[in-house]
Amino acid sequence: MSLTGGEWILTNGVGGYALGTSFMINERKYHSLLVAGKRGRRINILPTVEEKVVSTGGEIYLDSNHYPGTVYPEGYIFLLKSWLRPYPSFAYKVGEEVYLLKKIMMVEGENITVVVYKNLSSEKLRLEIRPKFALRDHHWVNTPGIWDVLEVEIIKGEDLTGVRKNSGEEGFVYFKNAVFVEEHIIYRKVTYPLEAARGYEASEDLFAPGKIIFDLPPDGEMFFLVSSEYLSGELSDYLI
């Protein structure tokens, strides 16, 4: 089953890109919030994130993922509309008169993607994000079970979390006014149906070091940054 409905791409001018679909469901191994261009290689840092919205109406997952024979969760059913100008944007209805807007941007000249959420409703929302790292060449997928045997370092700070492989690949997620809870999860057998249709390896495991919890007031915005490198400046310096 394919839900693509078309693709969007952002580039940073130094070999990196973000690539996805209008339904925000990854169908190819190249789909990602950040593929970094580094030293002549392209590294898929963060293919996707788990997104859970908590409101007075309950809990809703906005992300969608292919697994063998199924799509879970089915966040795409809450997507009202998506558009590409000036940035890939996605409007969700997450409850009765409860709406959330998501925008995805890249920083020119940097391996950095910015994801912004805006609460378009009159009630407070809680948003829980779990970044799912791949940290592999964009032409390949991770061997199933690799995260069970890899030596990885979990990087934590007041406003960041990250993962570093013993082979050197690393990725970071930065945030403001949020709480990080360390909780290791391996997402097994994430599947890319368009790769399978072409005869390529099409299943891999992704690793999440924990969840980032944001409280989003009415008409409020929050953001997170995905980077392939440690950032020493203010996060506001990278906002578009």
Side-chain angles (χ1 to χ4, degrees), residues 66-84:
H66 283 286
Y67 295 99
T70 190
V71 173
Y72 181 83
E74 295 180 316
Y76 65 90
I77 66 176
F78 301 105
L79 182 63
L80 287 177
K81 184 180 180 181
S82 63
W83 59 95
L84 300 180

Side-chain angles (χ1 to χ4, degrees), residues 2-227:
S2 176
L3 297 169
T4 301
E7 288 184 314
W8 53 265
I9 187 169
L10 300 172
T11 60
N12 62 4
V14 291
Y17 64 87
L19 176 66
T21 70
S22 59
F23 285 97
M24 282 304 293
I25 178 168
N26 291 349
E27 307 241 321
R28 300 202 283 149
K29 60 194 173 191
Y30 303 100
H31 287 154
S32 182
L33 288 174
L34 176 62
V35 173
K38 300 184 70 174
R39 297 182 292 276
R41 298 180 63 202
R42 289 189 172 99
I43 306 299
N44 192 326
I45 304 294
L46 195 80
T48 185
V49 296
E50 180 182 291
E51 299 166 306
K52 182 170 76 172
V53 179
V54 182
S55 68
T56 55
E59 300 179 349
I60 288 176
Y61 287 88
L62 298 185
D63 57 306
S64 302
N65 310 274
H66 283 286
Y67 295 99
T70 190
V71 173
Y72 181 83
E74 295 180 316
Y76 65 90
I77 66 176
F78 301 105
L79 182 63
L80 287 177
K81 184 180 180 181
S82 63
W83 59 95
L84 300 180
R85 300 287 187 275
Y87 314 106
S89 302
F90 308 85
Y92 296 90
K93 183 176 182 180
V94 296
E96 193 66 31
E97 301 301 322
V98 182
Y99 301 91
L100 187 70
L101 175 66
K102 176 169 68 176
K103 297 183 291 184
I104 302 174
M105 298 163 276
M106 277 200 102
V107 179
E108 183 70 20
E110 303 277 358
N111 286 310
I112 298 173
T113 299
V114 182
V115 182
V116 178
Y117 297 86
K118 184 171 185 177
N119 182 359
L120 300 179
S121 65
S122 59
E123 71 167 272
K124 176 182 174 181
L125 302 177
R126 188 173 83 232
L127 187 60
E128 298 182 6
I129 303 293
R130 293 184 187 269
K132 303 180 187 180
F133 288 92
L135 301 181
R136 44 86 173 165
D137 189 282
H138 73 153
H139 288 311
W140 305 99
V141 294
N142 282 319
T143 304
I146 192 171
W147 293 104
D148 296 296
V149 298
L150 268 181
E151 292 183 18
V152 298
E153 177 185 357
I154 308 303
I155 302 158
K156 294 180 290 184
E158 182 179 351
D159 58 0
L160 83 152
T161 181
V163 176
R164 180 180 293 122
K165 284 183 175 181
N166 59 356
S167 55
E169 292 90 351
E170 60 186 7
F172 303 88
V173 173
Y174 291 82
F175 46 84
K176 294 288 284 186
N177 302 318
V179 175
F180 174 70
V181 179
E182 186 171 356
E183 187 177 38
H184 301 179
I185 294 179
I186 299 173
Y187 294 83
R188 302 184 188 276
K189 296 185 179 180
V190 177
T191 302
Y192 307 115
L194 295 184
E195 302 298 334
R198 295 164 180 159
Y200 295 114
E201 293 292 329
S203 181
E204 70 174 341
D205 295 348
L206 303 176
F207 176 73
K211 62 182 176 181
I212 306 164
I213 303 172
F214 300 87
D215 286 323
L216 200 54
D219 204 39
E221 283 190 351
M222 54 75 61
F223 68 91
F224 68 85
L225 275 64
V226 186
S227 174

